[in-house]
Amino acid sequence: MSEARSQLPTSGGPTSNGPTSNGTAEARITAEAARRRTFAVISHPDAGKSTLTEALALYAEVIDEAGAVHGKSGRRGVTSDWMEMERKRGISITSAVLQFAYRDCVINLLDTPGHGDFSEDTYRVLAAVDAAVMLLDAAKGLEPQTLKLFDVCRTRGIPVLTFVNKWDRPGREALELLDEVEQTIGLRPMPLTWPVGVAGELRGLVEVETGEFRRYTRTAGGATRATAELVPADVIGAEEPQYWEAAQDELALLQEIGAAYDEKDFLTGAATPVLFGAALNGVGVARLLDALVELAPAPEPREDAGGDPRPLEASTSGLVFKVQAGMDRAHRDRMAFVRICSGRFERGMVLTHAATGRPFATKYAQAVFGQQRTTVEEAFPGDIVGLVNAGALRPGDTLYSTDLVEFPSIPSFAPEHFAVVRGADAGTYKQFRRGIEQLDSEGVIQVLTSDLRGDQAPVLAAVGPLQFEVVTARLESEFRAPVTLEHLGYSITRRTDAAGAQLLSGQSEVEVLTRRADGALLAVFSNKWRMETVRRKFEDLVLEPLPAGSER
Ligand code: G4P
């Protein structure tokens, strides 16, 4: 990784050591921000996200061996206990942040957890990106988790590029897949490349705009880069007359229906550029990187909590979007992932934590690349910095250097699963308490309390049940605090107020709990019908919906 970092092209601006006037420093920030591309890949599990992530990094010459990114089975680097759990369950919770150079850009690729139960975590990651790549399996098209994640992108106004993966094996027809995208999510597809040969018999890709055809030489298991060779139309036309003609007919049809690329429609979320390929063989991967560099938006001024855009050149500021501990046995510390929103970050600078007004030293600023960590000396808008020993930081928090700013916090989802957690061993109560506090502030799960239940029996509230597994596994392995869970029969959450809490006290199949993180009063109900009955009974009862996770 350190080699990779030293490969990052510079914009030629003054270095941090050189004397800089404000004007030059600002110009450098603008120039550096303009060449950042910060994005995430959204997909249903098994669509090939890990494979694509590795392939992208491989193309950018950051890593020289597929498998360096994730600790999946048969791949390198499973070290922590709960990574072991991820491996067993085939899920990924610990996400990686990859930074690499491609052409004259710096690409920041944020990984998202693959499983729907961690959609809250995904939502936080999406708060830190400027674009998303929607990855579809050519045989399956739009799958439930993709739809949910796409929904989040739409809500947040994130432009989406689409990559249709696994074209090397039998799947559906290209036109049918595009039609599904348009019909199901109302996003107009704008193909940039078009496959020659049906799924499973891919002969190569045509550039929709220029008509150029590229043939790919297969590589085994994505271990090296696929090589693309330009082949003249008459040659491929003679070699593969059937597939070539079919592709020409489809391209003519696309032209007729007006599927040409339109920048405004992409950026406003009305349409999506579409690319085809096979991540496993490296087909179409470099083309995807080109599309990201050429089309995806660079960081823009982020709106603060008052709705005012914070200029990119303003003093340093960043948004904490993820907090994670125990990522690796060798690094038991706790790390906050911060997206730089404005200014230039320099390691060692003292930032202010907006939520508490306390100073935060950044001596240990790191980049996390799979299992590896390297020191970050400086960063610009769009970059992600990992801050170690981030005890007080929570997802959604703002850090700033001189000019005060606070970005809107990241909303918590409506939990749908609840369980009372108790220390299984009275002798480990201290560890139990510390563990619960830690997992709460990392945002691994929501911790709710009530006067009735007391401190020894907090209620854990999750968007998806796998969150409970993570919590129990981590309490046991990291905090040496084995626990028991008593599942509660609630499934619906609404926000209420103090008057509401009073009205609801004593009602059956309802409970009002306080969320520790922000003091919000949450009314939880066994089901929708019970909630409606109670609502009808108390006319003035405040019940506000929260952002939905799996309900989406
Ligand atoms: P995920 O992170 O989205 O969950 O998916 P992942 O990359 O792990 O890929 C899921 C499966 O799909 C893997 O196979 C992977 O090799 C395969 N795959 C990904 N991209 C392509 C592609 O372009 N073409 C083909 N044919 N397969 C692809 P697996 O057998 O489940 O796992 P593994 O043993 O290969 O890791």
Side-chain angles (χ1 to χ4, degrees):
M1 185 66 192
S2 45
E3 295 79 19
R5 293 208 140 237
S6 60
Q7 284 171 18
L8 291 181
T10 64
S11 65
T15 67
S16 56
N17 302 325
T20 57
S21 70
N22 268 353
T24 355
E26 284 185 6
R28 181 161 180 240
I29 293 165
T30 315
E32 289 292 346
R35 64 197 194 95
R36 264 36 183 199
R37 299 289 181 276
T38 302
F39 74 103
V41 178
I42 56 166
S43 65
H44 195 82
D46 273 348
K49 186 155 61 71
S50 315
T51 311
L52 179 67
T53 305
E54 283 163 9
L56 287 170
L58 203 59
Y59 269 78
E61 295 179 19
V62 169
I63 51 175
D64 56 5
E65 179 195 335
V69 180
H70 291 79
K72 283 216 166 187
S73 65
R75 299 174 189 174
R76 181 144 62 88
V78 178
T79 51
S80 81
D81 302 332
W82 51 304
M83 277 187 176
E84 183 66 14
M85 177 189 138
E86 293 179 295
R87 192 188 59 75
K88 271 196 227 136
R89 302 293 306 253
I91 54 173
S92 105
I93 310 164
T94 35
S95 35
V97 181
L98 306 188
Q99 186 184 55
F100 50 83
Y102 186 74
R103 291 171 38 178
D104 56 352
C105 280
V106 176
I107 312 254
N108 294 301
L109 166 52
L110 281 59
D111 191 15
T112 51
H115 199 283
D117 282 11
F118 305 103
S119 53
E120 196 157 21
D121 205 32
T122 304
Y123 190 83
R124 294 181 191 131
V125 173
L126 291 175
V129 302
D130 302 313
V133 170
M134 179 166 76
L135 181 67
L136 304 182
D137 182 324
K140 296 181 177 156
L142 285 169
E143 295 178 85
Q145 180 67 2
T146 329
L147 291 173
K148 278 183 214 161
L149 293 169
F150 170 73
D151 229 19
V152 177
C153 291
R154 171 166 279 165
T155 318
R156 300 202 65 95
I158 301 169
V160 174
L161 291 111
T162 301
F163 187 82
V164 183
N165 191 29
K166 305 196 188 182
W167 207 261
D168 60 316
R169 63 181 201 194
R172 291 162 58 182
E173 282 187 24
L175 284 172
E176 187 195 322
L177 285 164
L178 298 197
D179 193 48
E180 184 179 78
V181 168
E182 182 148 29
Q183 298 304 325
T184 314
I185 55 182
L187 200 57
R188 191 167 60 77
M190 308 179 290
L192 304 178
T193 58
W194 195 253
V196 174
V198 293
E201 294 187 29
L202 179 67
R203 298 295 184 259
L205 298 169
V206 184
E207 275 300 315
V208 173
E209 205 186 316
T210 63
E212 277 177 347
F213 173 79
R214 277 185 183 76
R215 178 159 44 204
Y216 290 84
T217 313
R218 277 185 64 135
T219 63
T224 52
R225 311 198 220 174
T227 43
E229 169 203 5
L230 265 179
V231 177
D234 52 343
V235 175
I236 181 67
E239 277 175 22
E240 299 284 351
Q242 220 182 332
Y243 286 148
W244 182 249
E245 266 170 40
Q248 294 307 314
D249 287 351
E250 287 163 341
L251 285 167
L253 182 73
L254 289 173
Q255 205 173 17
E256 226 168 85
I257 59 174
Y261 177 71
D262 181 302
E263 185 182 24
K264 190 169 145 275
D265 284 356
F266 167 48
L267 296 178
T268 56
T272 179
V274 181
L275 298 119
F276 293 83
L280 191 63
N281 305 324
V283 174
V285 174
R287 184 63 185 89
L288 174 62
L289 278 171
D290 288 334
L292 278 161
V293 163
E294 289 159 18
L295 313 177
E300 281 171 13
R302 178 173 286 250
E303 278 188 11
D304 64 18
D308 293 326
R310 167 97 164 179
L312 293 171
E313 314 75 37
S315 62
T316 318
S317 68
L319 174 77
V320 179
F321 64 93
K322 180 181 177 67
V323 176
Q324 193 152 37
M327 289 172 71
D328 183 331
R329 276 203 191 109
H331 303 277
R332 274 271 187 236
D333 48 12
R334 170 168 150 154
M335 182 171 286
F337 290 85
V338 181
R339 174 190 157 120
I340 305 301
C341 299
S342 68
R344 172 174 166 272
F345 169 86
E346 188 178 355
R347 187 171 70 87
M349 74 194 314
V350 177
L351 299 174
T352 303
H353 178 212
T356 58
R358 294 215 184 101
F360 187 91
T362 61
K363 190 170 163 206
Y364 301 104
Q366 299 190 325
V368 179
F369 180 83
Q371 301 288 306
Q372 301 170 35
R373 296 172 174 208
T374 44
T375 300
V376 170
E377 294 299 342
E378 66 171 356
F380 292 92
D383 288 342
I384 309 301
V385 176
L387 296 177
V388 182
N389 293 335
L393 304 184
R394 310 179 71 103
D397 282 358
T398 302
L399 293 167
Y400 62 87
S401 58
T402 48
D403 306 329
L404 187 145
V405 65
E406 191 149 14
F407 296 110
S409 64
I410 306 171
S412 289
F413 278 12
E416 290 163 50
H417 303 267
F418 301 83
V420 181
V421 59
R422 292 185 182 87
D425 174 354
T428 59
Y429 182 62
K430 244 183 164 167
Q431 291 93 307
F432 168 73
R433 257 192 39 187
R434 204 160 50 83
I436 293 288
E437 253 166 48
Q438 159 95 44
L439 298 177
D440 185 19
S441 62
E442 274 179 46
V444 173
I445 203 148
Q446 297 179 33
V447 179
L448 315 177
T449 50
S450 77
D451 295 343
L452 289 178
R453 294 179 183 276
D455 253 9
Q456 310 229 350
V459 174
L460 301 182
V463 173
L466 273 179
Q467 285 177 266
F468 293 127
E469 267 190 51
V470 173
V471 167
T472 40
R474 287 191 58 190
L475 283 172
E476 190 154 348
S477 66
E478 271 172 65
F479 298 91
R480 305 276 162 238
V483 292
T484 58
L485 290 183
E486 177 202 338
H487 290 274
L488 300 173
Y490 303 122
S491 63
I492 305 269
T493 308
R494 291 291 182 270
R495 206 181 168 119
T496 189
D497 56 9
Q502 262 190 339
L503 288 176
L504 293 175
S505 81
Q507 295 293 317
S508 65
E509 294 177 64
V510 185
E511 192 169 338
V512 177
L513 298 149
T514 307
R515 190 160 56 198
R516 267 200 201 162
D518 58 2
L521 288 174
L522 303 184
V524 297
F525 300 85
S526 50
N527 55 49
K528 259 202 302 238
W529 297 276
R530 181 66 191 134
M531 178 175 76
E532 288 314 324
T533 312
V534 171
R535 201 201 289 271
R536 275 198 298 274
K537 190 162 165 189
F538 302 110
E539 248 182 30
D540 299 333
L541 180 64
V542 171
L543 290 180
E544 287 168 11
L546 292 113
S550 55
E551 273 176 20
R552 268 173 191 284

